[in-house]
Amino acid sequence: NNLMLKNFSIIVTNTSRALAYIRILEQNNIFPKQIIYLDNFKKTEISKKIKKKIFSLKTRLKIFKTQDITKKVSIYILKSRIKNIVYSGYPGVILRDAKILKQKNFIHCHPGKLPKFRGSTTIYYSLLKEKKIFCSTLILSRNIDQGKILLTRKYSRPKNILTIDKKYDDFIRSKNLLYVLKNFEKLTPISQNANDIIPYYVIHPVLRSIAFKK
């Protein structure tokens, strides 16, 4: 039996990635024990869909009016008996709370092969440098994309390259997450090699255009 499937929670935000996660879990009859919803007040089509979806699920729901892991959110997470948490935070929000990172496993899917491609928009840099696309699933640490790796998978390029940083990015992360949840007990977290690799930053529009053409 995979205990992970019976006892995990998920942090949900008003993002297409969080919506993709919820959808793939629902499609596979995998339901978190609890949903922690970080609502940033922004009214968008995504936020409407997220609210509709999570309120329809028969699972415990806790809502916080914030986009950060505040002290209040941290205290709530620490009090929970659930150890494994699927993390889908807002872009640019980095989880650095040492106490909860030590006591809980925050599972994050990153669109890049680690440790070579850390940081932001790495799916483009991977295409530019290696003409390949990878997704890594890791347990978060205090350092950017340097936690223990649970899974790394290679994916083929999308038929429509223009979907790569939205629909396709969400798709490969969702596929990785599904595999990890179904096979968590069989996976061995692997520490990354200590090195001086500098994380990538948000790609310049010109480089993004070059990646499309490549």
Side-chain angles (χ1 to χ4, degrees), residues 11 77 85 95 100-101 104-108 138-140:
I11 291 178
I77 292 171
I85 304 166
L95 180 57
I100 58 174
L101 286 170
K104 307 290 183 179
N105 291 328
F106 285 86
I107 297 164
H108 171 62
L138 67 155
I139 298 172
L140 290 177

Side-chain angles (χ1 to χ4, degrees), residues 34 99 120 189 195:
Q34 181 181 43
K99 192 172 182 179
S120 179
N195 54 50

Side-chain angles (χ1 to χ4, degrees), residues 113-118 129-130 192 195 197-198 200:
K113 188 175 184 179
L114 296 174
K116 292 176 71 176
F117 292 94
R118 293 173 178 153
K129 293 188 74 174
E130 299 186 353
Q192 297 186 48
N195 54 50
I197 293 174
I198 298 173
Y200 288 93

Side-chain angles (χ1 to χ4, degrees), residues 127-141:
L127 266 180
L128 282 170
K129 293 188 74 174
E130 299 186 353
K131 298 183 180 179
K132 295 175 183 177
I133 294 173
F134 289 89
C135 186
S136 302
T137 301
L138 67 155
I139 298 172
L140 290 177
S141 68

Side-chain angles (χ1 to χ4, degrees), residues 126-214:
S126 180
L127 266 180
L128 282 170
K129 293 188 74 174
E130 299 186 353
K131 298 183 180 179
K132 295 175 183 177
I133 294 173
F134 289 89
C135 186
S136 302
T137 301
L138 67 155
I139 298 172
L140 290 177
S141 68
R142 290 189 70 188
N143 299 315
I144 296 174
D145 299 327
Q146 292 185 43
K148 292 183 178 180
I149 300 170
L150 292 166
L151 175 72
T152 300
R153 271 187 161 180
K154 181 182 176 184
Y155 289 90
S156 58
R157 282 173 285 180
K159 292 180 180 178
N160 181 359
I161 195 67
L162 297 178
T163 67
I164 195 167
D165 60 352
K166 293 291 183 182
K167 189 174 180 180
Y168 185 78
D169 183 296
D170 294 338
F171 167 74
I172 63 173
R173 295 195 204 215
S174 297
K175 295 293 284 186
N176 259 43
L177 176 63
L178 182 63
Y179 184 90
V180 166
L181 289 175
K182 285 185 173 182
N183 298 277
F184 190 77
E185 307 299 327
K186 302 174 187 175
L187 300 174
T188 303
I190 300 172
S191 297
Q192 297 186 48
N193 295 326
N195 54 50
D196 297 323
I197 293 174
I198 298 173
Y200 288 93
Y201 294 94
V202 177
I203 197 163
H204 190 279
V206 173
L207 284 178
R208 181 174 179 268
S209 179
I210 292 171
F212 282 167
K213 291 176 182 178
K214 288 279 186 179

Side-chain angles (χ1 to χ4, degrees), residues 12-36:
V12 169
T13 51
N14 292 322
T15 61
S16 61
R17 184 201 318 165
L19 183 59
Y21 284 0
I22 290 292
R23 281 175 171 167
I24 201 166
L25 295 180
E26 189 177 32
Q27 289 164 8
N28 288 271
N29 292 313
I30 299 171
F31 299 100
K33 199 142 190 177
Q34 181 181 43
I35 294 174
I36 299 170

